[in-house]
Amino acid sequence: MQPLSCTPHTPNRGDRSHRRFSALIAATLALALALTACGDSDGDEPTDSRKAGAAGSYPVSITHAKGKTVVPSKPKRVVALGYVDVALARALGAPIVGALKFSGGSDGRNFPAVTPPLDEEVAVLDEIKPNVEKIAALRPDLILMTSGQPTYQDAYSKLSAIAPTLGYRTKLAQDDPTETTRLMGELLGEQKAATELIASSERAIADFVAKHPAAKGKKALFGQALPDNAYLLVTPDAQVNRFFARLGLVVPAEFAALAGDVGPTGSAALSLEELDRLDAADIAFLLFRDAKIKDHALVRALDLTKTGRLASLDMGTAYVVLLPNPANTAYLLSKIEPTVAKLAE
C-alpha cells in the first residue's frame, strides 16, 4: 500500500457549487499561501491600531494583512463577501445591503446558520466572481471580506477604493473567529452584541463537551472525497481542527505528521486504493462529490461506515464545518452531534 500523499488538489470540472467549495478548501488551509498584501501593510504580523474610547466611538482603525481599515462613523450600508462575514454580520444586526448568495442553499441564496436569512434583494453577489461595479452600485460604507474566496481577495485594492474593507488578519480562514467577531463588533458599533454572541458560543461548546466526555482524545477527520482522491485537512491551523480540539478531538497521528509537508492546500490526499486508511480516525466528516466513492467497496468496508461514525455532509454543512464561528456554533454542534455521540457506544 502506498504512503499517504501530500499532493495539492486542483479541482476538476464539475458543478459550480462543488468547484466553489474545492477552491475554498484549497485556499483555506495554506501554510504558505502566497496572497499579495495590498494597501499600506508592510507584511509584518498585523497589529491592532484601534483607537481607545467608549464603546461605539469612532473612528475605528484596524490594521490587517491586506492593509488598514478606517471606519469614520457607524456603518449604514454593509456588504459581506465571505461566509463568515455574512454569518457574523447578520448575527450582529448589521445593515447588510449586499452579500454573497449560496446557490447550494435550500432557498438558492442563503448559507446555513445565517440568522435571520437574507432577503432575495440582498443576497445578490456571486460566490466566486467579483462584480466590482455591482458592489459599487450598492454604495457600501463598509465591506467585510475576512473569508471571501481568493478571487475576492485578489480584488482587494479595487474593493477598498469603494469603501473601507476589512480583510483577514493573518491568513485566509485561519484567523481566530472569536477575534474576528470582536473586530466586526467594533467596526459595526455592536460591541455588546459581539460579546453576547461569543458568550453564547462558549456556553454551547462547554455544554457539548460536558455532554460528550467520550469525545476527549478521540481522533477525527474532515475533508472531501472527489472521483479520484479523498482530501483530508490535517493542519492544526485549520479552523475546523482548532474547533475539534476544543471538543477534545484530535487529528490522527499518521495524518497530523503530514501537517508540515502538505504544501499550499493544507490537505493530505488518499487515493481510492488507500481509502481503508480512513479507519485511523474514530469519526470522520466527508463531503462526497461523487456517490460512487461513497459506495466504494473500501468505504463500505470501513469500521467507520459499519458503526455509523462516517458522516456524509451536504455542501452547506461542509461550509459550516470548514468555517466555524460564534454565529454558527449551535448549528454546527447540532450537525456533528449524532456522529460524536457514537463515540460513547
Side-chain angles (χ1 to χ4, degrees):
M1 185 173 291
Q2 298 177 351
L4 289 169
S5 169
C6 303
T7 305
H9 169 53
T10 301
N12 295 321
R13 290 182 298 175
D15 66 83
R16 295 194 73 199
S17 59
H18 279 124
R19 284 185 284 125
R20 288 180 179 120
F21 187 80
S22 297
L24 183 59
I25 207 172
T28 292
L29 306 162
L31 296 178
L33 191 62
L35 290 176
T36 303
C38 303
D40 58 2
S41 173
D42 59 7
D44 294 333
E45 183 70 14
T47 57
D48 190 353
S49 59
R50 290 168 282 180
K51 293 182 180 295
S57 63
Y58 290 89
V60 176
S61 175
I62 295 173
T63 300
H64 49 86
K66 289 290 188 179
K68 181 180 290 185
T69 299
V70 180
V71 178
S73 59
K74 185 176 175 67
K76 297 179 179 179
R77 300 182 64 83
V78 176
V79 166
L81 300 179
Y83 166 59
V84 175
D85 305 294
V86 175
L88 288 178
R90 196 61 165 166
L92 295 176
I96 301 176
V97 296
L100 298 185
K101 61 181 176 182
F102 179 48
S103 58
S106 58
D107 59 4
R109 65 176 180 273
N110 272 288
F111 287 95
V114 172
T115 306
L118 296 170
D119 295 332
E120 186 174 2
E121 61 269 21
V122 173
V124 295
L125 301 173
D126 189 86
E127 294 156 79
I128 287 185
K129 187 176 180 181
N131 187 327
V132 177
E133 293 75 17
K134 192 171 186 177
I135 293 171
L138 294 169
R139 297 180 290 108
D141 51 16
L142 175 63
I143 297 174
L144 301 174
M145 194 181 67
T146 67
S147 61
Q149 291 274 4
T151 44
Y152 276 95
Q153 304 297 336
D154 291 342
Y156 175 82
S157 60
K158 294 180 180 179
L159 295 169
S160 60
I162 297 171
T165 301
L166 179 66
Y168 52 84
R169 296 262 287 173
T170 55
K171 292 181 179 180
L172 180 58
Q174 292 189 36
D175 286 348
D176 178 353
T178 298
E179 174 66 6
T180 299
T181 304
R182 291 195 182 101
L183 293 180
M184 286 195 188
E186 293 206 27
L187 288 179
L188 296 167
E190 298 293 345
Q191 290 95 325
K192 182 179 179 181
T195 299
E196 292 174 348
L197 182 63
I198 292 168
S200 176
S201 174
E202 293 297 310
R203 287 193 299 271
I205 292 172
D207 290 346
F208 189 93
V209 170
K211 185 178 179 181
H212 299 286
K216 186 173 183 178
K218 293 300 194 298
K219 295 167 285 188
L221 287 170
F222 167 77
Q224 63 174 333
L226 286 75
D228 54 346
N229 291 88
Y231 293 88
L232 307 164
L233 307 188
V234 299
T235 174
D237 291 331
Q239 287 186 4
V240 56
N241 289 334
R242 291 205 302 259
F243 185 85
F244 280 171
R246 298 199 62 192
L247 306 181
L249 300 167
V250 298
V251 176
E254 66 184 88
F255 289 91
L258 299 173
D261 302 313
V262 291
T265 67
S267 62
L270 287 181
S271 67
L272 297 183
E273 293 75 22
E274 298 175 299
L275 290 175
D276 60 327
R277 291 180 180 261
L278 289 170
D279 266 337
D282 296 303
I283 54 175
F285 303 88
L286 292 179
L287 168 66
F288 286 93
R289 283 192 56 178
D290 190 331
K292 293 180 181 178
I293 301 178
K294 186 177 179 181
D295 293 332
H296 192 284
L298 288 179
V299 174
R300 293 199 308 270
L302 289 170
D303 285 340
L304 287 173
T305 303
K306 294 176 180 177
T307 57
R309 291 181 282 112
L310 173 61
S312 175
L313 306 180
D314 57 57
M315 182 68 64
T317 303
Y319 262 103
V320 170
V321 177
L322 178 67
L323 297 171
N325 63 81
N328 71 15
T329 299
Y331 184 93
L332 193 167
L333 292 174
S334 72
K335 289 295 184 180
I336 68 173
E337 185 167 29
T339 307
V340 172
K342 296 282 185 181
L343 294 171
E345 297 178 358

